[in-house]
Amino acid sequence: MKKKKNWIASLLILAVFGTNTLMTEAAVVTDQTPPPMPTVNKLTNKSFTISGIAEADSMVYVKRNSTYYLKKAADKKGNYSIPIPQQKKQTVLEVYAVDHSNNKSLPRKVIVQNQPKLKKRILNVPIVKQMPELPRGCEVTSLTMLLKYTGIKANKMTLAKQVKKDPAKLVRKNGKIYFGHPNYGFVGNMYTFNKPGWGVFNKPIEALAEKYKPNRIKNLTGKPFETILSYVSAGHPVWIINTSWFSRVPNSYWQTWYTSHGTVRITYKEHSVVITGYDSKYVYFNDPLDGTKNKKRPIKSFVEGWKQFGSQAISYY
């Protein structure tokens, strides 16, 4: 009788384990159904986002000209919105989704459409004065205005402390001038004209702006001025460096500095402002030095001065 009970118990154990094994095997069957092709809202050369609907909680990928560009997860309803810099018209983008089982949707091909630049645009960018605290702080004050326009509570004095500095001291020797390089940090003293100082170029300003808008800053240095106006047309002001005359400065005002990073051509006729608008004849900008909002200068002369400093410009997306 005892042997019979043991035999029955053994059968019960086998039955239980057999059932669990079958259940386990059924549980590991993975989803192999690809998600639907994402939708993409209208995309033009004035757009700053790619958006649409994909499978809920999937990862949305974007390729540009057949190369990986960026990605972002869709929310629980399938909505996605990915910030991007402005794209050139006719740029080809492919958008696809990948679900949690690593199934990939078919790609949605999108061609960036052309949207003509507005004939006139003037933005309401808050004015911030650099004086009296920052006699040489036009670059960080102009950045303050740009950041404030985006809704960030930026402070010019905080930015003045945070911007990278070039520690080089001014030395004049054998007819040569040795000082810092503005592409590597602010040169000299920003707070008083009683000590040597100059300013800073776009790279340290870009790095500082990135701290406030991570992965959303666009360095437009070297781009055509039409690109600068395209950003303004789309509602984004642009930080730039120009001559303080807002026109071409003769060679007699320029000098060569010798720095630990090589030589650099410098004129003290340098200034930074924020471009806030344009029309057919004029460029409009906020001038931190005199506190004038939407000051205007003829486009042709303004661009000539801007190009003398290497067409430096920064905006955001």
Side-chain angles (χ1 to χ4, degrees):
M1 188 71 179
K2 185 176 181 181
K3 289 182 179 180
K4 186 176 181 181
K5 287 183 178 180
N6 289 340
W7 178 75
I8 293 172
S10 297
L11 286 176
L12 289 171
I13 292 170
L14 285 171
V16 170
F17 275 104
T19 302
N20 285 344
T21 301
L22 289 172
M23 290 176 65
T24 302
E25 288 177 354
V28 297
V29 175
T30 57
D31 173 19
Q32 296 181 353
T33 305
M37 184 188 303
T39 67
V40 180
N41 295 331
K42 183 180 179 181
L43 190 64
T44 76
N45 58 331
K46 298 297 183 293
S47 301
F48 287 107
T49 58
I50 298 176
S51 61
I53 299 175
E55 183 172 291
D57 295 320
S58 64
M59 184 64 70
V60 180
Y61 289 82
V62 180
K63 282 187 174 182
R64 183 174 62 177
N65 298 328
S66 301
T67 303
Y68 168 77
Y69 188 39
L70 40 78
K71 66 179 180 179
K72 189 175 182 181
D75 65 20
K76 293 182 178 180
K77 294 183 178 181
N79 298 305
Y80 71 89
S81 181
I82 309 175
I84 58 169
Q86 283 187 350
Q87 306 293 308
K88 293 181 179 179
K89 62 180 180 180
Q90 299 302 308
T91 297
V92 178
L93 300 174
E94 290 181 89
V95 183
Y96 62 91
V98 176
D99 64 20
H100 290 294
S101 297
N102 209 32
N103 297 309
K104 178 181 176 181
S105 76
L106 292 173
R108 174 83 62 181
K109 183 178 179 181
V110 183
I111 299 177
V112 176
Q113 303 298 309
N114 181 51
Q115 181 179 333
K117 177 170 65 68
L118 297 174
K119 292 182 178 180
K120 180 179 180 179
R121 186 76 192 266
I122 299 179
L123 306 176
N124 185 24
V125 179
I127 188 71
V128 179
K129 297 180 180 180
Q130 67 186 83
M131 301 297 281
E133 299 91 348
L134 300 174
R136 291 196 182 96
C138 57
E139 299 94 351
V140 294
T141 306
S142 290
L143 178 60
T144 302
M145 289 188 274
L146 186 147
L147 292 175
K148 280 181 174 290
Y149 182 78
T150 72
I152 293 174
K153 296 180 180 180
N155 179 279
K156 67 178 183 179
M157 301 305 293
T158 302
L159 267 60
K161 292 179 181 179
Q162 293 176 335
V163 70
K164 185 178 179 181
K165 313 296 192 303
D166 187 315
K169 305 298 182 183
L170 176 63
V171 176
R172 299 177 186 273
K173 185 177 180 181
N174 299 326
K176 294 182 177 181
I177 301 173
Y178 297 86
F179 211 178
H181 197 306
N183 252 345
Y184 296 88
F186 190 93
V187 178
N189 192 293
M190 194 187 307
Y191 303 97
T192 177
F193 287 132
N194 295 326
K195 296 181 180 180
W198 191 80
V200 64
F201 281 165
N202 67 91
K203 290 182 180 179
I205 291 295
E206 177 189 11
L208 178 57
E210 277 283 347
K211 294 180 179 180
Y212 288 83
K213 291 188 74 68
N215 303 314
R216 299 289 297 276
I217 298 300
K218 181 64 175 177
N219 195 322
L220 300 171
T221 299
K223 300 292 185 181
F225 197 67
E226 192 64 23
T227 300
I228 308 306
L229 297 186
S230 179
Y231 267 70
V232 178
S233 176
H236 290 206
V238 180
W239 174 101
I240 64 107
I241 285 181
N242 206 317
T243 69
S244 57
W245 294 355
F246 305 111
S247 61
R248 185 172 181 81
V249 170
N251 289 335
S252 58
Y253 287 88
W254 293 77
Q255 56 189 232
T256 298
W257 286 357
Y258 294 82
T259 82
S260 59
H261 302 283
T263 60
V264 59
R265 288 282 291 169
I266 290 296
T267 175
Y268 278 90
K269 305 296 182 182
E270 180 267 354
H271 195 33
S272 175
V273 299
V274 178
I275 296 179
T276 59
Y278 63 87
D279 57 27
S280 61
K281 295 182 179 179
Y282 298 102
V283 177
Y284 296 81
F285 54 93
N286 280 9
D287 189 340
L289 185 59
D290 62 12
T292 302
K293 185 172 182 175
N294 294 330
K295 180 186 286 189
K296 67 180 183 179
R297 289 291 185 273
I299 293 176
K300 185 176 184 299
S301 60
F302 187 93
V303 172
E304 287 176 349
W306 176 65
K307 286 183 175 180
Q308 278 194 293
F309 274 107
S311 304
Q312 299 185 57
I314 292 173
S315 192
Y316 64 95
Y317 59 93

